[in-house]
């Protein structure tokens, strides 16, 4: 009987281990293929022109990385290592691009999905809509370019199912944003995006850092409290224009430089980690704010930069200052 019990226990342990190792959120889908798990605390750095791992579609980006980068404004003060900071989704100057030019070809994106129904179903499962609603959903989004290195949860496609990993997208990346200003699709790969989740400790970056990368400048976009009717954007030459939500640039018109052209960031409580095998739906509920007075300073080791995230603000785009700063990871 003891021998039988030992054998049975070994069999059960082997089955449990096999299940754990086969899960998409396990470390096996981490740095080796560019993905990462919240449990392992890794964040993948994605250059603007790089397709990245587990792409849904071919690139539909129509502009080079032309957006003029900007550094979030605000003073600094101390904060926990896993503190996060964010910029309001309707802040003027958060996004850029070229007037009358869409950064992403939405109709081409729709065509790619129509030719790949399995991918369309996986995409729909991530954003919690029906596959037949994907075209209308994509057309409701606004094509822009990031002007700040931005942290997100990136959802790839692998082995017939969606995956997820934490990522930082380089300024200049073409994305589609929703009516609260939150990035929802990365145009270079067609991957759906959702807000980032907190890692259990200061995350480790994987992938090559681009010139000028500093973890202290990474932000996340927090949803505006009210739907955004118009995005105030900056062109590469410093001119400013307005783009209506859901428009592809046909209705763009010039505008004056805003009083605060460099959006400010503020410190918030990290979003609780979720199972990365599940597809979290987009949310327009801003996370709880733990500090609105300014950013924080922290000096972790060079290979463990703190993750960014977001905080709330009104629909006017007047964010309160703040954000964590630290040393950039070793390249």
């Amino acid at each position: 009987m003891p021998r039988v019990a030992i054998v049975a226990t070994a069999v059960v342990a082997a089955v449990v281990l096999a299940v754990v190792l086969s899960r998409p959120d396990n470390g096996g889908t981490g740095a080796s293929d560019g993905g990462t798990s919240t449990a392992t605390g890794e964040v993948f750095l994605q250059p603007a022109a790089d397709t990245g791992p587990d792409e849904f579609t071919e690139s539909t980006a129509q502009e080079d990385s032309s957006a003029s980068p900007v550094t979030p404004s605000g003073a600094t003060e101390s904060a926990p290592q896993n503190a996060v900071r964010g910029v309001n989704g309707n802040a003027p100057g958060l996004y850029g691009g070229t007037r009358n030019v869409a950064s992403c070809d939405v109709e081409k994106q729709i065509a790619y999905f129509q030719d790949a129904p399995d991918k369309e179903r996986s995409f729909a499962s991530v954003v919690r809509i029906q596959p037949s609603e994907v075209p209308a959903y994509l057309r409701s989004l606004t094509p822009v370019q990031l002007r700040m290195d931005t942290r997100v949860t990136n959802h790839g496609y692998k082995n017939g199912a969606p995956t997820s990993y934490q990522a930082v997208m380089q300024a200049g990346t073409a994305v589609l944003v929703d009516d609260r200003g939150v990035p929802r699709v990365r145009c270079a790969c067609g991957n759906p995006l959702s807000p980032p989740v907190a890692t259990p400790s200061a995350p480790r970056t994987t992938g090559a850092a681009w010139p000028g990368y500093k973890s202290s400048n990474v932000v996340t976009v927090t949803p505006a409290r009210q739907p955004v009717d118009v995005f105030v954007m900056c062109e590469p030459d410093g001119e400013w224009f307005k783009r209506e939500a859901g428009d592809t640039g046909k209705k763009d018109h010039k505008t004056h430089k805003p009083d605060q052209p460099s959006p400010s960031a503020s410190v918030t409580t990290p979003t609780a980690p979720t199972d990365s095998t599940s597809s979290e739906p987009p949310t327009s509920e801003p996370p709880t704010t733990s500090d609105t007075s300014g950013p924080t300073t922290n000096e972790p080791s060079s290979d463990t930069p703190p993750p960014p995230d977001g905080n709330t603000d009104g629909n006017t785009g007047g964010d309160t200052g703040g954000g964590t700063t630290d040393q950039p990871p070793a390249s």
Side-chain angles (χ1 to χ4, degrees):
M1 289 300 293
R3 180 176 300 176
V4 172
I6 292 173
V7 172
T9 301
V11 170
V12 171
V15 170
V16 171
L17 181 62
V19 170
V20 171
L21 293 178
S22 65
R23 289 176 53 147
D25 63 339
N26 187 270
T29 59
S32 62
D33 63 358
T36 183
S37 149
T38 300
T40 61
E42 291 180 324
V43 175
F44 182 54
L45 300 180
Q46 292 194 289
D50 185 24
T51 300
D54 306 341
E55 69 275 11
F56 264 80
T57 68
E58 295 180 26
S59 175
T60 59
Q62 297 195 119
E63 287 187 274
D64 294 332
S65 304
S66 58
S68 53
V70 64
T71 301
S73 62
T76 60
E77 58 184 45
S78 61
Q81 237 184 10
N82 67 342
V84 294
R85 65 186 202 154
V87 176
N88 195 16
N90 64 357
L94 174 60
Y95 297 120
T98 303
R99 187 164 57 94
N100 301 129
V101 177
S103 59
C104 182
D105 189 332
V106 175
E107 295 306 316
K108 182 182 288 187
Q109 189 73 60
I110 292 171
Y112 280 145
F113 280 127
Q114 290 177 336
D115 291 338
D118 290 344
K119 290 184 176 181
E120 186 174 55
R121 281 192 292 270
S122 291
F123 181 94
S125 72
V126 173
V127 299
R128 299 291 179 87
I129 59 176
Q130 295 298 317
S132 61
E133 299 173 317
V134 169
Y137 172 76
L138 291 172
R139 291 186 180 112
S140 72
L141 304 177
T142 308
V144 299
Q145 283 189 346
L146 302 177
R147 297 185 71 219
M148 300 180 181
D149 296 342
T150 304
R151 167 90 174 267
V152 296
T153 298
N154 193 325
H155 299 270
Y157 181 83
K158 186 175 183 180
N159 298 327
T163 64
S164 67
Y165 55 93
Q166 298 302 292
V168 173
M169 301 185 297
Q170 182 186 12
T173 299
V175 295
L176 298 174
V177 301
D178 66 12
D179 65 350
R180 303 301 176 105
V182 179
R184 293 304 183 187
V185 179
R186 186 170 183 264
C187 302
C189 54
N191 289 7
L193 306 172
S194 58
V197 296
T199 54
S201 59
R204 300 181 302 275
T205 57
T206 183
W210 43 86
Y213 170 79
K214 291 182 63 177
S215 60
S216 59
N217 289 336
V218 175
V219 302
T220 186
V221 179
T222 57
R225 289 187 178 276
Q226 301 295 328
V228 181
D229 295 324
V230 175
F231 293 95
V232 179
M233 301 166 58
C234 185
E235 294 197 73
D237 61 3
E239 294 294 322
W240 291 80
F241 67 98
K242 291 183 177 181
R243 176 167 295 173
E244 295 183 12
D247 185 58
T248 57
K250 296 178 181 178
K251 300 178 182 178
D252 290 353
H253 57 277
K254 289 186 176 182
T255 189
H256 297 292
K257 182 178 180 179
D259 294 335
Q260 186 178 347
S262 180
S264 60
S266 49
V267 178
T268 70
T269 302
T271 303
T274 57
D275 183 355
S276 62
T277 61
S278 65
S279 299
E280 291 300 311
T283 174
S284 293
E285 293 299 323
T288 304
T289 301
S290 63
D291 187 343
T292 58
S293 62
T296 64
T297 302
N298 190 16
E299 298 293 337
S301 61
S302 61
D303 62 344
T304 56
D309 201 338
N311 93 307
T312 63
D313 198 358
N315 193 38
T316 62
D319 300 16
T320 55
T324 60
T325 62
D326 63 356
Q327 298 299 316
S331 57

